[in-house]
Amino acid sequence: MVTPTLSLWRDAERCYRVVTARDSRFDGQFIMAVRTTGIYCRPSCPASTPKVQNVRFFPTSAAAQANGFRACRRCLPDAVPGSPDWNVRADLAARAMRLISDGTVEREGVPGLARRLGYSERQLGRVLTAELGAGPLALARAHRAHSARLLIEMSELPLTDVAFAAGFSSVRQFNETIREVFATTPSQLRAFAASRRGRQSDVTGTRLSLRLPFRPPFDASGLLRFFADHAVPGVEEVTPEAYARTLRLAHGTGVVRLTPSANHVRCELMLTDLRDLGSAVSRVRRLLDLDADPAAVTRVLGADPVLAPVVAAVPGIRVPGAVDGEELLLRAVAPDVPPGAEVPGEWGVTRLFPTAAQVASTGHPVAAALAEGQLDVHVGRDAAELRAELLTCVDPATADYVVMRVLGAPDVLLADDPAVRRGAEELGISPDSLAGRARAWTPWCSYAGMYLRRAGA
């Protein structure tokens, strides 16, 4: 487990220096709120820098909203990469944020969130309020507001449909939240977005085209090669320019195509139920590791004289994540699986990955453990507890691989991976010494492993 240092948002002096420099690398890592205007912004907001005595800093937009601030319509503070803290940190707040981003509160309520995390509702609320400035309901409300803004601005759905698709229980609640968060009505927000674009978005029915931000640099070609090497026919399709795959979501199915560009990833989504929009976007972001902080990784790994050349040659390397924990585990232990259910063909993909129950029908013991609930692999698990549970069914190397990709754990070195060991030899590192060298790469051992894989390719 990585012990977090002082949270950035608590260091007001450093945060104000970032705001003064309008440093976009810190977008998503904290929120700046201005007392005199009642507005909160991303650190790189192009508006005039407020006086230091007029600003407050918060860890999340939900905390700013809970303190009476509304979102800036100029810099759109919710349209930024998420905080890398949710992967670096392994504490309760980080695990809760991953589940909230996946839509757990909308589907299961706060009791379901608490149950998945293994805490009482009261204890969970106390921890989240202390760490993030807002409780689980306020954090989920901010997530709903973000999903609603995407649908308002990026689709032509009737606003009543947007309200329920974003997870609101009533149109009144939807209207009140949009007014409180964005200081405007949903219809005005849609009109403002349309005038800013000058055209309507590419959307027909349940097809949406979104832009997913990231912190540059971003090694898109490396991710595409990794996905191509591991693609499941019918479930995934990889070209030199894009990656497409099917998704099994809470309310239906989806198909996504991801096309990286210089400053964002174009995300084209086909969903059978728009209530899954927020969850689909969250899973895709984890798959591509879009919330990573490449500058922080480079500072540590670039300081190693052996790794430095490959770090310089491949800036912005990412650790591939997963859209579904059970699927990733099954792909790691059961290379031959029965075909999953068919879905309407789009972008070369035609079927879902099979469920654990379907794979269990072939007699595979790990699939049976998943289907019977003996294994529970999801983004809200504690890394140490999940690894211990996995070790009852799989070897340590597989357990580490699953923890790294499902949880986005940044400090897992796959020292027994043949590709990692081959890369170490190419760089003159004895593979048997990797465990010892990993101490110098903490907390970015997962990224060091990706660099070693690249060196051995």
Side-chain angles (χ1 to χ4, degrees):
M1 178 184 297
V2 177
T3 302
T5 56
L6 179 69
S7 298
L8 175 60
W9 71 276
R10 298 183 189 276
D11 189 343
E13 182 179 348
R14 184 182 177 198
C15 287
Y16 191 73
R17 288 200 303 269
V18 169
V19 169
T20 302
R22 294 186 174 86
D23 194 335
S24 61
R25 294 175 301 171
F26 292 87
D27 286 351
Q29 299 196 40
F30 66 88
I31 291 292
M32 175 191 70
V34 185
R35 292 187 178 94
T36 51
T37 63
I39 290 173
Y40 69 86
C41 304
R42 63 170 78 185
S44 67
C45 182
S48 299
T49 304
K51 295 180 180 179
V52 64
Q53 64 267 28
N54 292 333
V55 300
R56 292 182 63 187
F57 300 104
F58 295 99
T60 62
S61 59
Q65 292 166 24
N67 281 271
F69 295 93
R70 62 185 186 274
C72 174
R73 290 199 294 168
R74 183 174 182 181
C75 71
L76 300 176
D78 60 336
V80 296
S83 172
D85 274 359
W86 310 142
N87 286 339
V88 175
R89 292 167 51 165
D91 59 11
L92 175 61
R95 292 160 53 208
M97 281 299 296
R98 292 198 292 264
L99 285 174
I100 290 169
S101 295
D102 197 48
T104 298
V105 174
E106 281 76 13
R107 296 191 299 271
E108 304 174 25
V110 175
L113 176 68
R115 184 172 57 253
R116 282 179 174 267
L117 294 167
Y119 285 78
S120 70
E121 293 178 53
R122 180 176 296 181
Q123 188 175 11
L124 176 62
R126 283 201 303 266
V127 171
L128 294 185
T129 301
E131 288 290 318
L132 306 178
L137 283 176
L139 291 164
R141 178 177 180 266
H143 178 258
R144 285 195 298 273
H146 172 60
S147 296
R149 186 187 64 78
L150 286 177
L151 288 170
I152 291 168
E153 296 187 347
M154 307 303 291
S155 81
E156 297 176 11
L157 282 174
L159 293 176
T160 300
D161 293 344
V162 169
F164 295 108
F168 291 95
S169 59
S170 69
V171 174
R172 179 181 178 180
Q173 183 191 56
F174 164 67
N175 288 329
E176 289 177 349
T177 298
I178 295 302
R179 287 195 198 98
E180 290 176 12
V181 173
F182 300 109
T184 188
T185 65
S187 58
Q188 290 170 335
L189 189 60
R190 173 165 283 176
F192 178 75
S195 66
R196 191 173 57 218
R197 287 193 306 268
R199 60 178 178 82
Q200 291 299 319
S201 295
D202 175 19
V203 57
T204 305
T206 54
R207 183 195 296 258
L208 295 103
S209 179
L210 312 174
R211 290 186 172 197
L212 306 183
F214 55 76
R215 296 179 181 87
F218 177 59
D219 178 34
S221 61
L223 277 175
L224 291 175
R225 281 196 297 272
F226 183 93
F227 294 143
D229 291 342
H230 298 80
V232 177
V235 176
E236 298 168 292
E237 180 70 23
V238 189
T239 69
E241 295 79 30
Y243 168 78
R245 68 154 295 145
T246 55
L247 301 169
R248 178 178 282 105
L249 300 163
H251 301 101
T253 63
V255 181
V256 63
R257 180 169 65 177
L258 303 165
T259 308
S261 68
N263 53 17
H264 68 272
V265 174
R266 185 183 183 196
C267 173
E268 298 168 271
L269 274 168
M270 289 286 292
L271 299 173
T272 58
D273 192 318
L274 281 172
R275 288 178 294 175
D276 288 320
L277 173 64
S279 177
V281 171
S282 175
R283 294 181 187 201
V284 166
R285 292 193 63 83
R286 289 199 302 271
L287 177 70
L288 301 183
D289 196 15
L290 294 185
D291 293 334
D293 183 355
V297 174
T298 298
R299 278 196 300 272
V300 173
L301 302 186
D304 186 313
V306 178
L307 279 184
V310 67
V311 171
V314 188
I317 206 165
R318 294 304 203 264
V319 176
V323 296
D324 184 277
E326 289 190 358
E327 176 190 312
L328 182 74
L329 175 57
L330 290 173
R331 291 173 66 157
V333 300
D336 298 316
V337 296
E342 292 188 359
V343 296
E346 188 78 20
W347 302 311
V349 293
T350 57
R351 61 179 63 250
L352 297 169
F353 191 84
T355 64
Q358 289 173 311
V359 180
S361 66
T362 67
H364 199 286
V366 175
L370 287 169
E372 295 167 7
Q374 298 171 17
L375 282 177
D376 191 14
V377 185
H378 62 74
V379 295
R381 294 297 306 271
D382 173 79
E385 291 177 0
L386 176 58
R387 186 177 189 275
E389 195 171 284
L390 288 168
L391 287 176
T392 63
C393 299
V394 301
D395 60 84
T398 301
D400 288 339
Y401 176 77
V402 171
V403 167
M404 181 184 79
R405 292 195 58 188
V406 172
L407 303 185
D411 203 26
V412 178
L413 183 63
L414 305 180
D416 294 325
D417 186 318
V420 171
R421 295 176 70 85
R422 188 163 56 248
E425 290 180 336
E426 286 290 326
L427 294 178
I429 300 173
S430 169
D432 295 332
S433 70
L434 282 172
R437 295 187 70 98
R439 287 191 292 270
W441 299 335
T442 296
W444 309 116
C445 285
S446 301
Y447 294 86
M450 295 303 297
Y451 277 116
L452 291 174
R453 290 176 65 95
R454 182 66 63 88

